[in-house]
């Protein structure tokens, strides 16, 4: 059975989107990316030398591989700032994909939904492939889809917390109503979190901190890859319904002694 993921007209070979920051050194970063099998790499545009992207310390270790770059607007506080950052990235030849990330609070780094919607509307009209990062609000996720987002990226929990999926009910509603891919972005911390997200029906997972800050980032990247694949297969297979009372799998009534 063919089970492909398409975003912005590109068929992706992996449902794992991986961030490039926080790794202890470039060698570990490169090996972890290989182990993850990820095709989409994300990074903060503000960390990139846009005047010479081919020489940038973040990108030079992966530039010979085939990757889809998903630069993000991390650090932006308004729609205008995010739009300006996205335009600079495209003008430098980096990518016309952009993850809109506009933080409204320095302590929680939660996204500003109003500014995110505004930036998405404008960047979509300018021809960008826009993947906005947003809270797990089903209504706002739908508004972003209607604005033309190529995929929507609700957070499971605040960035870097590793708290896991705080509201699986909301995430399920978002998936149920979506006509574009839903990529869980932020807050996941473990393999079980990843499998749970995939079992809820999301199309993919973006993570950085749980891999880069693990004791063994390369092995953790492989573990997360396997969790994504297992969760996806479980979702497609269909789990059993939950019941209040027991039911014997061996035919309890047939073997009961009179």
């Amino acid at each position: 059975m063919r089970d492909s993921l398409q975003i912005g007209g590109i068929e992706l070979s992996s449902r794992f989107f991986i961030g490039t920051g926080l790794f202890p050194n470039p060698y570990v970063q490169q090996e972890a990316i290989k182990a993850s099998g990820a095709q989409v790499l994300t990074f903060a545009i503000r960390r990139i030398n846009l005047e010479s992207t081919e020489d940038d310390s973040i990108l030079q270790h992966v530039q010979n591989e085939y990757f889809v770059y998903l630069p993000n607007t991390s650090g932006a506080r308004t729609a205008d700032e995010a739009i300006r950052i996205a335009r600079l990235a495209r003008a430098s030849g980096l990518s016309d994909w952009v993850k809109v990330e506009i933080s409204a609070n320095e302590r929680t780094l939660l996204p500003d939904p109003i500014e995110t919607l505004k930036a998405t509307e404008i960047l979509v009209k300018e021809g960008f492939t826009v993947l906005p990062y947003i809270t797990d609000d089903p209504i706002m996720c739908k508004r972003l889809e209607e604005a033309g987002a190529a995929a929507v990226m609700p957070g499971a929990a605040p960035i870097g917390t590793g708290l896991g999926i705080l509201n699986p009910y909301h995430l399920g509603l978002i998936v149920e109503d979506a006509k574009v891919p839903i990529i869980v972005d932020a807050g996941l911390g473990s393999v079980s979190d990843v499998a749970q997200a995939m079992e809820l029906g999301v199309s993919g997972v973006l993570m950085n901190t749980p891999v880069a800050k693990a004791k063994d980032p390369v092995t953790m990247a492989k573990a997360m890859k396997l969790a994504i694949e297992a969760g996806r297969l479980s979702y497609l297979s269909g789990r059993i319904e939950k019941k209040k009372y027991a039911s014997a799998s061996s035919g309890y009534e047939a073997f009961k002694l009179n």
Side-chain angles (χ1 to χ4, degrees):
M1 178 176 62
R2 188 174 179 82
D3 178 37
S4 62
L5 172 60
Q6 289 208 10
I7 296 177
I10 295 179
E11 185 169 344
L12 299 172
S13 59
S14 169
R15 295 175 182 273
F16 194 173
F17 295 24
I18 192 166
T20 56
L22 304 176
F23 287 94
N25 58 62
Y27 175 77
V28 172
Q29 178 205 57
Q30 193 171 7
E31 291 302 305
I33 290 171
K34 285 182 186 174
S36 75
Q39 186 181 357
V40 177
L41 304 184
T42 186
F43 43 82
I45 298 171
R46 288 187 169 184
R47 294 172 52 216
I48 301 296
N49 177 8
L50 294 177
E51 294 182 355
S52 182
T53 56
E54 68 277 11
D55 295 329
D56 186 89
S57 60
I58 296 173
L59 301 180
Q60 64 178 339
H61 303 288
V62 295
Q63 63 185 352
N64 294 326
E65 307 289 343
Y66 174 66
F67 292 111
V68 176
Y69 290 158
L70 176 61
N72 67 64
T73 64
S74 175
R77 292 167 298 177
T78 66
D80 289 343
E81 288 182 5
I83 292 165
R84 185 165 61 250
I85 293 170
R87 287 171 177 166
L88 286 171
R90 183 161 71 175
S92 71
L94 198 57
S95 177
D96 62 0
W97 282 40
V98 63
K99 173 189 162 189
V100 172
E101 185 174 331
I102 304 172
S103 296
N105 182 294
E106 291 186 5
R107 187 165 61 90
T108 64
L109 296 179
L110 287 172
D112 185 321
I114 296 172
E115 295 296 300
T116 299
L117 179 59
K118 179 181 174 184
T120 298
E121 289 173 337
I122 293 173
L123 291 170
V124 166
K125 288 177 182 175
E126 294 185 6
F128 283 88
T129 298
V130 183
L131 292 81
Y133 163 60
I134 194 67
T135 57
D136 59 352
D137 177 347
I139 303 301
M140 185 51 66
C141 287
K142 196 64 183 175
R143 293 288 177 267
L144 290 164
E145 176 188 319
E146 292 168 350
V152 179
M153 310 181 82
I159 292 173
T161 60
L163 291 172
I165 301 174
L166 297 182
N167 197 333
Y169 175 73
H170 270 199
L171 201 54
L173 289 179
I174 292 167
V175 169
E176 187 178 301
D177 203 29
K179 292 184 173 56
V180 297
I182 300 298
I183 311 295
V184 170
D185 177 12
L188 301 179
S190 68
V191 160
S192 58
D193 296 337
V194 170
Q196 183 188 13
M198 296 304 296
E199 285 187 307
L200 287 169
V202 304
S203 299
V205 165
L206 188 156
M207 60 170 50
N208 187 177
T209 305
V211 174
K213 302 300 281 185
K215 290 180 181 176
D216 182 344
V218 178
T219 302
M220 185 60 81
K222 183 177 181 181
M224 295 299 185
K225 172 180 180 287
L226 294 174
I228 289 171
E229 293 172 358
R232 181 66 180 175
L233 288 173
S234 175
Y235 170 72
L236 294 175
S237 301
R239 62 153 293 157
I240 62 169
E241 292 184 7
K242 294 181 179 179
K243 297 177 182 177
K244 187 175 182 180
Y245 300 108
S247 59
S249 58
S250 57
Y252 176 78
E253 290 295 330
F255 294 107
K256 189 165 62 175
L257 297 176
N258 293 322

